[in-house]
Amino acid sequence: MDLSNSNIQTVLPKYYIVKKAVLDYIQSGKLKKDDLIPTEKLLQQKFNVSRITVKRALDELTTEGYLYRLQGRGTFVRSVKSANMPFSKKMISCSEEIRRQDMVPSRKVLIKKVVKCDYTVAHELRLEVGDPVLHFSRIYYADGSPINFSDGFLSLEDLEGIAEMNLEEQSLTHIVRNEYHLDIEIAEGSLEATMAQGKLLTYLQVDKGFPLLKIHAVSSYMKKGVQKYCEVVNSYYRTDSFKITLQD
């Protein structure tokens, strides 16, 4: 089985290249439910990486629900349906959640520019590499204190003019639903615990190693009976002063 993919950019972390190659085979149907995936040794040889690198890639796919392990037998594929929906709840917007907790939301836009999407973003949004997307990153505040940093990409296919809109005054969800009349919802997502490091220390005003909740979400809407993927975002929440509501 050839898991190599020339479209994957070599600048990506090695573990991520392995992870995306295996994931591509699952989502394309080349690896089906309960199929045994290649061994760690074979993946090491194929991608010329260490065992630790392969283990990290497979551990993440297992955590995200794409794979499962049977001791002494190997690693197998879960059903694609369950893998694509790590949780089946719909989250409300960050701004709305802040208001629900009797606090005043505000935002600071750090990045807002149109760029050409790379392989990773194209894969998540079902676009072609090089298609234009809006890259945005923002810090959310509750009563003036930072509680969330979000970094994401938005497809411009049905959202002409959104790049010129003020993202500090309105949430993207509000803009898409009210200005473009598209019912945007989370289509795929995952939750994981992580620790603050790098720029997150400054953005969220926390110490290195502070526990955060990372939410990875891909949103979509229906248009003329077709599901269209429009946004992929990674959000990092402080865990000491904020709670997130999941609802049916």
Side-chain angles (χ1 to χ4, degrees):
M1 180 180 294
D2 183 9
L3 287 173
S4 61
N5 189 328
S6 60
N7 289 327
I8 300 180
Q9 299 181 3
T10 57
V11 296
L12 293 174
K14 290 182 178 180
Y15 88 90
Y16 195 80
I17 293 174
V18 178
K19 177 181 176 181
K20 293 301 288 185
V22 175
L23 183 57
D24 284 348
Y25 261 71
I26 295 173
Q27 294 183 328
S28 68
K30 294 177 181 177
L31 281 172
K32 303 184 186 305
K33 183 177 184 296
D34 296 325
D35 278 354
L36 177 68
I37 71 165
T39 64
E40 290 186 5
K41 184 175 182 179
L42 181 59
L43 291 173
Q44 285 178 246
Q45 295 171 347
K46 170 62 67 176
F47 293 97
N48 191 28
V49 296
S50 68
R51 180 179 179 276
I52 293 176
T53 297
V54 171
K55 187 176 184 302
R56 179 178 177 183
L58 299 185
D59 283 348
E60 288 198 4
L61 289 171
T62 300
T63 300
E64 293 170 10
Y66 291 99
L67 303 174
Y68 67 95
R69 290 188 173 99
L70 293 178
Q71 188 171 1
R73 295 182 57 188
T75 304
F76 299 81
V77 178
R78 287 192 186 276
S79 65
V80 175
K81 180 177 180 180
S82 63
N84 284 341
M85 292 296 292
F87 57 85
S88 58
K89 302 286 186 177
K90 182 177 73 174
M91 282 182 296
I92 64 175
S93 72
C94 182
S95 297
E96 185 179 347
E97 186 66 83
I98 291 171
R99 294 189 186 95
R100 284 190 176 191
Q101 296 177 45
D102 296 322
M103 294 183 284
V104 178
S106 58
R107 311 169 192 85
K108 179 180 180 180
V109 176
L110 304 178
I111 297 174
K112 188 185 75 167
K113 63 179 179 179
V114 177
V115 299
K116 294 180 179 180
C117 66
D118 61 13
Y119 171 84
T120 304
V121 175
H123 179 84
E124 298 265 36
L125 296 182
R126 284 64 167 177
L127 298 173
E128 297 294 329
V129 173
D131 281 352
V133 291
L134 178 65
H135 179 202
F136 62 91
S137 66
R138 298 186 292 185
I139 302 172
Y140 285 80
Y141 299 85
D143 285 347
S145 297
I147 52 90
N148 167 23
F149 168 73
S150 294
D151 183 73
F153 296 86
L154 188 71
S155 171
L156 301 177
E157 186 173 348
D158 293 313
L159 302 173
E160 183 178 354
I162 197 169
E164 286 72 50
M165 293 188 177
N166 190 328
L167 300 185
E168 290 190 352
E169 294 183 355
Q170 300 182 78
S171 72
L172 274 174
T173 300
H174 178 86
I175 292 173
V176 173
R177 286 177 174 168
N178 293 277
E179 300 294 333
Y180 295 88
H181 308 293
L182 298 171
D183 190 16
I184 182 173
E185 293 186 343
I186 292 177
E188 302 169 4
S190 61
L191 308 173
E192 65 176 294
T194 188
M195 294 186 294
Q197 58 183 326
K199 294 182 179 180
L200 290 174
L201 306 181
T202 301
Y203 295 159
L204 297 177
Q205 298 177 14
V206 294
D207 295 328
K208 186 175 182 179
F210 187 89
L212 303 175
L213 177 64
K214 177 185 176 182
I215 299 177
H216 177 79
V218 180
S219 298
S220 68
Y221 55 85
M222 297 298 295
K223 185 175 181 180
K224 297 181 179 179
V226 177
Q227 185 178 22
K228 308 192 75 172
Y229 294 83
C230 62
E231 180 191 35
V232 55
V233 61
N234 287 309
S235 298
Y236 299 84
Y237 285 84
R238 290 182 56 148
T239 56
D240 61 335
S241 57
F242 193 69
K243 67 179 181 180
I244 299 172
T245 300
L246 300 177
Q247 59 184 31
D248 293 323

